[in-house]
Amino acid sequence: MNVYDRDGVHLETWGEGVLEPSLAHGITIDRDDNVFVTDATTHCVQKFNSSGNLVMTLGSPGVPGPHDGDPFNRPTDIVLDSEGNIFVSDGYGNARIHKYSPEGDHLLSWGDRGDQPGQFSISHSVRIDKENRVWSCDRENCRLQIFDTDGNFLDQWEGLLRPNNIFIHPEDNLLYIAELGRRISIFKMDKKLVTSWGGGGDPSETPGEFLGGPHGIWVDSRWDIYAGEVELGKEGRLHKYIRRQ
């Protein structure tokens, strides 16, 4: 895990022997600055304090769930609700979302493979909005799905370019979407598009285009946007977009 300041200066590295070598794939930070990481190689979820010390592990390192659907098989992302319950999208080897208590006790799971409501074709990310609704990027079905915290299907947003990750800002009521189809989109929560850029053009000719696909996205307290880009066979890149005043 690498830590940088807002100007991109590297500050520290931690997680050696736990996250390396691995595919640390999803990350979230709680209100106490604990860092939760999903590891798609070791089939685990790890919780670190802000000093980088490991304080909790969910799953058995290196061992996938014993049966199809059991946690975990290459989990992709993680988020916490307002009560501290932990939600994990188990999307590369499974097609599930799992819910855990703040202490790490498994509470429930939902989802299976398919394209119907409540089914997934790569549940790639999971997020919680201020109404405690659970959002999942159902990437290969090109949609977002929305559930309550008990796994009941509520709604879906279709027609996206393979959504990889989302950020729901708690203050500006906007939804930021990183789409593997080489696009970033910003919507209002009523599904109205605010703006988007990218989508498959030549980045040498058109500003805002991507060589690979936006894979992760986050917005800081100043509304600056950070987007991770992946390109097959090459090292990833991090883009920063500064909000106009």
Side-chain angles (χ1 to χ4, degrees), residues 120-185:
F120 301 106
S121 180
I122 302 186
S123 176
H124 195 270
S125 182
V126 63
R127 289 288 178 258
I128 300 281
D129 66 18
K130 62 184 179 182
E131 298 176 11
N132 256 1
R133 297 182 301 174
V134 181
W135 294 66
S136 177
C137 289
D138 185 12
R139 191 178 77 185
E140 300 308 308
N141 285 323
C142 297
R143 65 183 178 182
L144 305 177
Q145 294 197 69
I146 308 170
F147 305 88
D148 65 21
T149 54
D150 291 322
N152 298 303
F153 175 82
L154 300 176
D155 196 5
Q156 62 184 356
W157 291 24
E158 299 182 287
L160 300 169
L161 295 181
R162 301 173 70 200
N164 253 330
N165 197 273
I166 62 174
F167 182 88
I168 305 171
H169 202 288
E171 297 180 27
D172 64 10
N173 204 37
L174 295 178
L175 178 72
Y176 300 75
I177 309 176
E179 299 168 86
L180 193 59
R182 296 167 63 181
R183 184 174 72 183
I184 290 176
S185 299

Side-chain angles (χ1 to χ4, degrees), residues 3 9 16 20 22 87 101 104 143 146 162 226 229 237:
V3 182
V9 176
E16 293 89 344
E20 185 183 17
S22 70
F87 295 80
S101 72
R143 65 183 178 182
I146 308 170
R162 301 173 70 200
Y226 300 80
E229 179 187 5
R237 290 175 289 272

Side-chain angles (χ1 to χ4, degrees), residues 47 76-77 113 147 156 159 168 213 229 239:
K47 175 184 177 181
T76 50
D77 201 13
R113 293 176 177 84
F147 305 88
Q156 62 184 356
I168 305 171
E229 179 187 5
H239 300 265

Side-chain angles (χ1 to χ4, degrees), residues 172 174-177 179 184-188 192-197 217 225:
D172 64 10
L174 295 178
L175 178 72
Y176 300 75
I177 309 176
E179 299 168 86
I184 290 176
S185 299
I186 303 174
F187 286 86
K188 293 183 178 179
K192 292 181 180 179
L193 180 66
V194 175
T195 189
S196 67
W197 59 93
I217 193 164
I225 302 170

